[in-house]
Amino acid sequence: MRSFYGETLECRLMLGTAQYPSPAIMAEAFRASGAGVATVSLRREAGGPGGLAGQDFWALVEGMGTRILPNTAGCHTVKEAVTTAHMAREMFGTPWVKLEVIGHTDTLQPDVFALVEAAEILTAEGFRVFPYTTEDLVVAERLLAAGCEVLMPWGAPIGSGLGLTNLPGLRALRAQFPEVPMVVDAGIGLPSHAAQAMEMGYDAVLLNTAVAKAGDPAAMARAMALAVEAGRAAFAADPMEPRDMAAPSTPLIGRAFLA
């Protein structure tokens, strides 16, 4: 498996910690999924592991034994994102940060200009940045030049469950940077969406709402984990190319000729 900033994860599914009916259900979902990474919003847990607010939640997350990826969810400016990243590094004790700089309120589409600027600042300060971005090739080049070693293009708007809405764009991005670790982040609604991303050669999938809002979060988490595994196995198997015409699976040579 490709490494993320030098660290290899046993599971290619990354799972968010927000919106679950209860902390216990969240923990059950993580156990069912075997997720290799848990994203945690600093705004959700402002008290951090050392404060009064959020102590119980932090203890629960820490006890799951999952790699923590703090994020800057809800930030709309470079200054806000950079400040939040610094607080997250202090509270969670990791240089990893999922960098979000939101540019559009309704779609939660990233502000790619501010994203590149914030990434430059944070990588220069030793952060390991996972940028939540679009599938734009030029933006990807700028983020890599800024020091990012991972790209996290969206599949669709956060929480929409629409799946992969720009397949040609995601394929082009994967093909353009074949050696860069990439995670499809946001918009995944069904296990089939997750499998599709992995079949395209992406290295992992990050999702939250599809599991947290399911009728049975643990069962959906398990389904997502299986889909990610199946999709990656299919990619590694070098699947057949689609074709416009039918091709008989039974050879014509040797068929009996009936007059």
Side-chain angles (χ1 to χ4, degrees):
M1 180 176 177
R2 206 191 307 263
S3 65
F4 296 88
Y5 290 106
E7 294 196 26
T8 301
L9 305 176
E10 293 184 4
C11 178
R12 296 177 184 270
L13 178 63
M14 302 180 179
L15 198 55
T17 56
Q19 305 185 71
Y20 291 87
S22 71
I25 291 176
M26 180 199 73
E28 184 182 3
F30 268 86
R31 285 193 295 270
S33 71
V37 168
T39 60
V40 179
S41 171
L42 184 65
R43 288 169 177 261
R44 170 182 168 85
E45 292 305 318
L52 295 177
Q55 272 191 336
D56 291 343
F57 179 83
W58 170 249
L60 180 63
V61 172
E62 192 176 36
M64 294 189 305
T66 306
R67 188 69 162 83
I68 301 298
L69 177 62
N71 67 42
T72 62
C75 293
H76 290 259
T77 68
V78 172
K79 182 178 180 180
E80 189 178 13
V82 170
T83 300
T84 302
H86 277 280
M87 294 171 62
R89 181 165 63 177
E90 180 179 348
M91 290 183 175
F92 297 111
T94 175
W96 281 22
V97 62
K98 176 187 169 184
L99 181 61
E100 295 184 26
V101 187
I102 302 301
H104 192 270
T105 303
D106 292 334
T107 64
L108 300 181
Q109 179 169 333
D111 179 341
V112 294
F113 306 101
L115 181 68
V116 171
E117 183 180 347
E120 289 177 338
I121 295 170
L122 292 174
T123 55
E125 295 177 345
F127 283 88
R128 304 292 182 256
V129 177
F130 292 68
Y132 165 62
T133 183
T134 65
E135 65 277 17
D136 187 280
L137 297 178
V138 177
V139 175
E141 288 181 342
R142 298 290 175 83
L143 288 168
L144 294 173
C148 298
E149 297 180 15
V150 175
L151 296 175
M152 301 183 75
W154 67 344
I158 295 171
S160 67
L162 292 173
L164 311 184
T165 56
N166 184 2
L167 291 175
L170 288 169
R171 288 195 183 100
L173 182 65
R174 178 67 283 179
Q176 183 69 26
F177 306 101
E179 301 304 318
V180 176
M182 291 191 193
V183 182
V184 172
D185 176 19
I188 300 295
L190 294 169
S192 57
H193 300 155
Q196 188 176 34
M198 301 304 296
E199 288 168 3
M200 292 167 60
Y202 280 82
D203 299 290
V205 169
L206 195 161
L207 56 93
N208 188 165
T209 309
V211 168
K213 293 298 185 181
D216 186 338
M220 183 59 76
R222 179 59 178 158
M224 289 292 186
L226 292 172
V228 167
E229 182 178 347
R232 183 64 191 186
F235 172 76
D238 191 16
M240 64 172 285
E241 294 291 331
R243 54 190 300 162
D244 295 328
M245 299 296 291
S249 57
T250 302
L252 298 178
I253 298 176
R255 283 185 57 190
F257 180 76
L258 302 177

